[in-house]
């Protein structure tokens, strides 16, 4: 089954092989924006540690770039909402999805703004596609904008908890490379 998969999608196998070769040569892997994860485990004498490190090296450039993309989009959307003096609020981020509370009269403006900012957060060779959907709760619309798929997730969100946990300044600092959780593995 695995061989059939790689025969069908040879670019994936090529990416995996090139990523591991680069990690062995350089000692680290990088996201598209240059954030690094050092690959010390590739030189281990324990085969289990080597295999786990190989999986992490293949995963990090993809997942790390996706994380950077959504963080940049969040910063840009937040800035545009403030500049436009909208009452809409970004309340939650789930992987590649942003959730907003939006007054009914701002739904078209915000949907357009978020779509533009998310699709242009990072310029890639392939276009990013953003879908959005909404449902009404009392006088506010809950707008969900997400990359890749158009799925609305209903959730019982406690707004005060989410607002406290959504710290855009931390994201801005992380993108700038001013602060990192673990400097040994992640460096700008």
């Amino acid at each position: 089954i695995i061989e059939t998969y790689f025969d069908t999608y040879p670019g994936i196998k090529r990416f995996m092989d090139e990523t591991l070769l680069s990690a062995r040569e350089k000692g680290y892997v990088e996201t598209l924006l240059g954030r690094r994860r050092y690959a010390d485990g590739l030189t281990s004498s324990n085969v289990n540690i080597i295999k786990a490190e190989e999986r992490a090296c293949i995963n990090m450039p993809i997942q790390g770039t996706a994380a950077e993309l959504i963080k940049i989009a969040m910063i840009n959307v937040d800035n545009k909402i403030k500049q436009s003096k909208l009452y809409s609020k970004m309340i939650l981020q789930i992987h590649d999805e942003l959730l907003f509370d939006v007054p009914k009269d701002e739904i078209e403006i915000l949907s357009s703004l978020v779509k533009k900012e998310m699709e242009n957060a990072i310029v890639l060779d392939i276009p990013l596609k953003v879908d959005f959907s909404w449902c009404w709760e009392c006088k506010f619309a809950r707008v969900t904008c997400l990359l890749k798929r158009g799925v609305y997730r209903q959730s019982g969100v406690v707004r005060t908890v989410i607002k406290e946990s959504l710290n855009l300044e931390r994201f801005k600092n992380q993108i700038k490379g001013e602060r990192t959780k673990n400097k040994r593995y992640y460096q700008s």
Side-chain angles (χ1 to χ4, degrees):
I1 295 175
I2 301 278
E3 288 177 16
T4 305
Y5 179 80
F6 287 137
D7 288 343
T8 305
Y9 304 105
I12 293 173
K13 178 68 171 153
R14 187 171 47 254
F15 167 80
M16 292 170 66
D17 292 341
E18 289 172 2
T19 300
L20 290 176
L21 181 63
S22 175
R24 286 188 176 91
E25 289 173 357
K26 295 179 180 179
Y28 61 86
V29 291
E30 291 182 296
T31 63
L32 284 180
L33 298 181
R35 191 163 44 108
R36 294 181 182 178
R37 180 187 190 283
Y38 286 89
D40 300 335
L42 291 177
T43 58
S44 175
S45 60
N46 184 328
V47 71
N48 292 327
I49 292 174
I50 293 170
K51 293 297 182 186
E53 190 70 33
E54 287 176 347
R55 291 188 298 274
C57 285
I58 292 167
N59 183 55
M60 187 273 186
I62 298 166
Q63 294 294 330
T65 299
E68 291 169 343
L69 189 150
I70 196 68
K71 289 173 185 174
I72 290 169
M74 289 174 71
I75 292 165
N76 294 344
V77 167
D78 184 59
N79 289 337
K80 291 288 185 181
I81 288 172
K82 287 175 184 173
Q83 288 172 3
S84 302
K85 297 182 180 173
L86 299 174
Y87 292 101
S88 300
K89 300 288 181 203
M90 184 179 347
I91 60 168
L92 183 64
Q93 179 246 333
I94 308 165
H95 305 290
D96 60 356
E97 180 175 330
L98 299 178
L99 191 67
F100 298 85
D101 272 345
V102 184
K104 289 181 182 180
D105 61 339
E106 290 182 6
I107 191 129
E108 288 183 31
I109 296 166
L110 186 78
S111 297
S112 174
L113 180 149
V114 172
K115 181 175 172 62
K116 178 184 175 198
E117 293 304 321
M118 287 181 77
E119 288 180 343
N120 295 295
I122 298 177
V123 179
L124 301 171
D125 293 338
I126 57 167
L128 294 174
K129 176 77 173 131
V130 173
D131 296 312
F132 58 89
S133 61
W134 62 87
C135 75
W136 302 109
E137 291 182 12
C138 304
K139 64 178 183 174
F140 285 94
R142 178 151 291 165
V143 177
T144 304
C145 294
L146 53 133
L147 297 169
K148 295 183 280 190
R149 58 190 191 280
V151 177
Y152 176 74
R153 298 178 192 196
Q154 289 192 358
S155 58
V157 175
V158 179
R159 291 186 181 114
T160 54
V161 173
I162 292 166
K163 286 179 182 174
E164 290 170 3
S165 67
L166 184 60
N167 185 340
L168 291 177
E169 283 304 313
R170 189 186 72 205
F171 292 146
K172 289 177 185 177
N173 290 337
Q174 196 170 17
I175 292 295
K176 291 177 184 175
E178 295 172 7
R179 291 167 54 188
T180 58
K181 280 189 172 181
N182 187 337
K183 290 183 180 179
R184 178 176 168 187
Y185 291 104
Y186 292 101
Q187 287 189 345
S188 295

